[in-house]
């Protein structure tokens, strides 16, 4: 990325940023000051929050929800909006001694530039005389490490949802030229609606050329990193493979009694895949945990893989021939769909996109229906229903929590399922009863997601609703 000062043309430093917005970068202090005086002072977005508006839940004993080497994270609530946030506090006394200022500035600048549903959002950075504060998206409940510890082994049809979320988040980071470098179960948060989000970008860096900094967590480090070789984006993909293995087996692939033995196991690729793992799952693990980074599978290949196709519920209106109106590449059409990856043919080039990525760029036409825009919310419906009902017992068995999760997917354009009907359906039901109705609810959803069926066979739709909601 070039220096933000007009006419400079030099490469910007990833830590030399505007200390107000952290969104623009410069090659030097001189360029930063000059650009501020010329124009950026008027353009700078400044701060979103005031530290006085963020109220700790317990003023006497703040509710700590996380703790790192140089920081602690507490739950806070905005005074006016009542929205909860995670407030990360870093003592100024450790800056420049244990935590270099340029490292902190780089983390803030990188993190603030990332806006994706599978990455914890950094909204603002504030400070007082003693501390620097980062205002982060609050993701309730557990991290992936705790989730695995509770379940020991995660079934493949559940692990795939977590894994795809992480892959989509990392794919977005890589598209921005950013390498995470510390992917591990503790750095994946799982929300109440079972969406996984990547957090802790402390080791993340721009990767415009191969790196050689030794960093991360031993169990997840790639062979090239451990060997002191230059590494790049495939190093993150290795870490994804470790995460997938950990979810399916409930343990690390290269576990050992000491670090030297562990290192040897990693370097010799000495790991065992349990026979009960599906053939497609075994194949994907072997392709990701490939010793040579140049032969390692890519993120797009992962999202196309047979294991994703067999286990991930892809239910959307995207199909071959759909027109794509892309803001940069212009008009194109979908020429192939494999797993979660679509190939789109533009003038003189064919590019690959993930299905969620294409959501806002697609228009499609059905027989007897007017052309309309693909709705990403409806794309998420089937996944939300399946995952929310399947995992609600882990987060909360209370009816109120279930009702809260249900509200995001309880209305359908082609049917008459409402929030009140869902609430009435699950009222006073225990989790086992909820599981029993899951199949019927999914069947109803599938019917409602098919405009042709709903239009041609309205009686079928009415019968389904009556059966599930006891109107017959």
């Amino acid at each position: 990325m070039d220096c933000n000062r007009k006419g400079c043309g030099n490469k910007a430093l990833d830590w030399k940023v505007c200390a107000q917005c952290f969104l623009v970068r410069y090659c030097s202090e001189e360029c930063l000051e000059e650009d501020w005086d010329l124009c950026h002072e008027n353009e700078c977005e400044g701060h979103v929050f005031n530290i006085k508006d963020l109220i700790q839940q317990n003023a006497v004993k703040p509710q700590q929800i996380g703790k790192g080497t140089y920081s602690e994270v507490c739950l806070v609530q905005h005074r006016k909006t009542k929205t909860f946030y995670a407030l990360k506090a870093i003592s100024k006394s450790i800056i420049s001694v244990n935590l270099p200022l340029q490292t902190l500035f780089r983390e803030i600048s990188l993190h603030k530039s990332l806006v994706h549903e599978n990455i914890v959002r950094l909204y603002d950075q504030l400070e007082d005389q003693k501390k620097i504060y980062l205002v982060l998206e609050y993701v309730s409940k557990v991290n992936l490490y705790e989730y695995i510890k509770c379940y020991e082994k995660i079934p493949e049809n559940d692990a795939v949802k977590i894994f795809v979320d992480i892959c989509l988040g990392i794919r977005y980071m890589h598209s921005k030229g950013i390498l995470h470098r510390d992917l591990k179960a503790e750095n994946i948060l799982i929300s109440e609606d079972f969406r996984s989000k990547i957090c802790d970008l402390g080791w993340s860096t721009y990767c415009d050329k191969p790196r050689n900094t030794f960093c991360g967590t031993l169990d997840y480090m790639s062979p090239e990193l451990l060997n002191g070789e230059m590494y790049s984006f495939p190093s993150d993909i290795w870490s994804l493979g470790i995460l997938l293995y950990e979810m399916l087996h409930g343990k690390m692939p290269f576990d050992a009694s000491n670090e030297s033995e562990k290192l040897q196991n990693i370097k010799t690729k000495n790991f065992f895949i349990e026979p009960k793992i599906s053939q497609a799952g075994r194949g994907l693990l072997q392709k990701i945990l490939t010793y040579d980074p140049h032969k390692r599978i890519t993120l797009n290949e992962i999202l196309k893989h047979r294991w994703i196709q067999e286990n991930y519920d892809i239910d959307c209106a995207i199909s071959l021939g759909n027109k794509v109106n892309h803001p940069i590449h212009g008009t194109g059409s979908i020429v192939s769909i494999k797993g979660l990856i679509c190939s789109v043919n533009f003038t003189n080039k064919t590019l690959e996109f993930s299905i969620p990525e294409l959501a806002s760029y697609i228009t499609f036409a059905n027989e007897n229906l007017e052309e309309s825009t693909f709705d990403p919310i409806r794309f998420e419906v089937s996944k939300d229903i399946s995952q929310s009902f399947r995992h609600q017992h882990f987060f909360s068995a209370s009816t109120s929590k279930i009702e809260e999760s249900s509200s995001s997917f309880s209305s359908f354009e082609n049917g008459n399922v409402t929030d009140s009907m869902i609430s009435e359906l699950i009222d006073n039901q225990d989790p086992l009863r909820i599981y029993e109705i899951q199949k019927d609810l999914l069947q109803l959803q599938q019917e409602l997601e098919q405009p042709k069926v709903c239009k041609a066979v309205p009686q079928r739709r009415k019968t389904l609703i009556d059966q599930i909601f006891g109107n017959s």
Side-chain angles (χ1 to χ4, degrees):
M1 183 183 290
D2 291 338
C3 177
N4 192 66
R5 186 180 70 80
K6 270 186 182 178
C8 176
N10 292 329
K11 183 181 175 183
L13 301 172
D14 57 11
W15 55 270
K16 184 63 70 175
V17 296
C18 168
Q20 292 291 322
C21 66
F22 278 80
L23 295 174
V24 293
R25 297 190 291 146
Y26 301 91
C27 66
S28 64
E29 189 68 26
E30 290 75 18
C31 277
L32 188 157
E33 292 177 358
E34 187 174 336
D35 191 53
W36 178 264
D37 292 336
L38 286 173
C39 60
H40 187 60
E41 183 178 9
N42 297 322
E43 299 170 353
C44 183
E45 294 183 8
H47 295 293
V48 179
F49 296 92
N50 186 316
I51 192 65
K52 295 178 181 178
D53 291 330
L54 300 173
I55 309 165
Q56 291 184 344
Q57 288 305 100
N58 189 328
V60 178
K61 187 179 180 181
Q63 185 178 344
Q64 190 178 95
I65 56 176
K67 188 173 177 64
T69 307
Y70 307 118
S71 63
E72 60 181 31
V73 184
C74 292
L75 179 65
V76 296
Q77 187 176 34
H78 193 271
R79 190 185 303 274
K80 294 180 179 178
T81 66
K82 306 302 179 185
T83 304
F84 287 103
Y85 297 95
L87 188 67
K88 183 176 181 178
I90 305 165
S91 175
K92 287 185 175 180
S93 62
I94 67 165
I95 294 176
S96 79
V97 178
N98 298 318
L99 179 64
L101 188 62
Q102 65 185 56
T103 300
L104 177 61
F105 274 31
R106 179 180 64 199
E107 177 186 353
I108 295 172
S109 176
L110 282 172
H111 199 162
K112 205 170 180 187
S113 70
L114 299 174
V115 181
H116 191 273
E117 63 184 0
N118 298 120
I119 300 174
V120 170
R121 184 83 183 270
L122 172 58
Y123 293 106
D124 204 355
Q125 70 292 324
L126 306 166
E127 64 177 305
D128 57 23
Q129 290 184 340
K130 295 183 178 180
K131 295 179 180 180
I132 291 176
Y133 302 94
L134 305 185
V135 184
L136 297 155
E137 175 187 1
Y138 172 58
V139 182
S140 59
K141 297 309 173 186
V142 299
N143 63 40
L144 182 55
Y145 174 79
E146 295 166 334
Y147 191 84
I148 295 172
K149 192 175 179 181
C150 177
Y151 281 96
E152 295 185 0
K153 297 177 184 179
I154 304 176
E156 291 184 55
N157 62 339
D158 294 338
V160 69
K161 172 65 170 69
I162 300 171
F163 186 66
V164 165
D165 279 355
I166 302 169
C167 286
L168 290 173
I170 291 299
R171 186 177 182 274
Y172 173 77
M173 289 184 68
H174 287 187
S175 74
K176 299 290 186 182
I178 297 171
L179 188 61
H180 189 283
R181 300 201 293 185
D182 196 21
L183 273 175
K184 56 184 177 181
E186 291 91 333
N187 287 344
I188 307 298
L189 302 181
I190 303 176
S191 64
E192 282 195 359
D193 62 356
F194 206 65
R195 188 179 298 281
S196 300
K197 294 176 180 279
I198 300 164
C199 66
D200 196 346
L201 276 62
W203 279 115
S204 298
T205 186
Y206 285 100
C207 191
D208 51 356
K209 61 182 179 180
R211 298 281 176 164
N212 62 0
T213 304
F214 189 84
C215 60
T217 303
L218 179 60
D219 284 309
Y220 300 86
M221 287 182 184
S222 64
E224 58 268 29
L225 196 157
L226 286 169
N227 289 334
E229 302 168 3
M230 303 298 283
Y231 60 86
S232 185
F233 299 110
S235 186
D236 274 350
I237 293 173
W238 174 277
S239 302
L240 286 171
I242 303 295
L243 281 170
L244 180 56
Y245 185 100
E246 188 180 1
M247 285 190 282
L248 299 181
H249 291 78
K251 60 182 180 181
M252 306 303 291
F254 304 106
D255 207 10
S257 56
N258 56 66
E259 288 196 358
S260 60
E261 186 181 339
K262 187 181 293 184
L263 281 168
Q264 187 61 27
N265 287 342
I266 296 173
K267 290 180 178 181
T268 58
K269 198 182 174 182
N270 182 21
F271 69 95
F272 172 74
I273 301 176
E274 293 181 358
K276 70 174 186 177
I277 303 300
S278 68
Q279 184 180 355
R282 295 168 64 85
L284 180 57
L285 280 170
Q286 289 166 347
K287 285 179 179 292
I288 299 177
L289 298 178
T290 295
Y291 197 85
D292 185 346
H294 299 100
K295 296 178 180 179
R296 200 170 296 152
I297 192 171
T298 66
L299 274 167
N300 277 6
E301 289 169 340
I302 288 173
L303 294 170
K304 291 179 186 177
H305 196 272
R306 182 160 62 94
W307 185 74
I308 302 292
Q309 295 182 49
E310 290 178 356
N311 292 279
Y312 192 77
D313 186 11
I314 305 171
D315 185 7
C316 67
I318 291 178
S319 60
L320 292 176
N322 283 157
K323 186 170 71 174
V324 176
N325 296 308
H326 197 279
I328 297 174
H329 305 294
T331 301
S333 62
I334 297 176
V335 292
S336 74
I337 303 172
K338 193 171 182 181
L340 275 168
I341 297 296
C342 296
S343 294
V344 181
N345 189 18
F346 297 99
T347 305
N348 301 324
K349 60 185 172 185
T350 300
L351 301 174
E352 290 186 330
F353 299 87
S354 69
I355 288 178
E357 197 178 3
L358 277 183
S360 58
Y361 304 139
I362 290 181
T363 58
F364 63 95
N366 279 322
E367 292 179 20
N368 304 319
L369 291 177
E370 294 182 1
E371 188 176 274
S372 56
T373 302
F374 173 70
D375 186 351
I377 295 177
R378 293 185 66 189
F379 165 66
E380 295 292 330
V381 165
S382 63
K383 295 185 293 178
D384 286 344
I385 290 177
S386 175
Q387 299 299 341
S388 294
F389 275 87
R390 185 179 298 151
H391 298 280
Q392 190 65 49
H393 70 285
F394 178 79
F395 296 126
S396 172
S398 69
T399 302
S400 61
K401 290 293 183 184
I402 297 171
E403 289 174 353
E404 181 181 339
S405 295
S406 302
S407 64
S408 64
F409 56 76
S410 58
S411 297
F412 298 102
E413 180 181 331
N414 296 308
N416 300 312
V417 183
T418 64
D419 287 347
S420 60
M421 294 169 73
I422 292 289
S423 298
E424 182 180 351
L425 175 66
I426 65 174
D427 190 31
N428 299 319
Q429 301 288 354
D430 59 41
L432 290 177
R433 171 58 184 147
I434 292 170
Y435 303 150
E436 289 172 5
I437 66 173
Q438 177 188 0
K439 185 177 179 181
D440 288 336
L441 192 57
L442 282 171
Q443 184 184 6
L444 171 63
Q445 188 274 324
Q446 288 163 5
E447 293 286 337
L448 298 180
E449 283 290 293
Q450 300 179 41
K452 290 183 183 179
V453 174
C454 293
K455 186 172 182 178
V457 194
Q459 185 57 42
R460 171 61 179 151
R461 180 179 62 198
K462 183 178 185 302
T463 301
L464 271 171
I465 295 174
D466 287 344
Q467 285 176 349
I468 294 177
F469 291 96
N471 296 329
S472 57

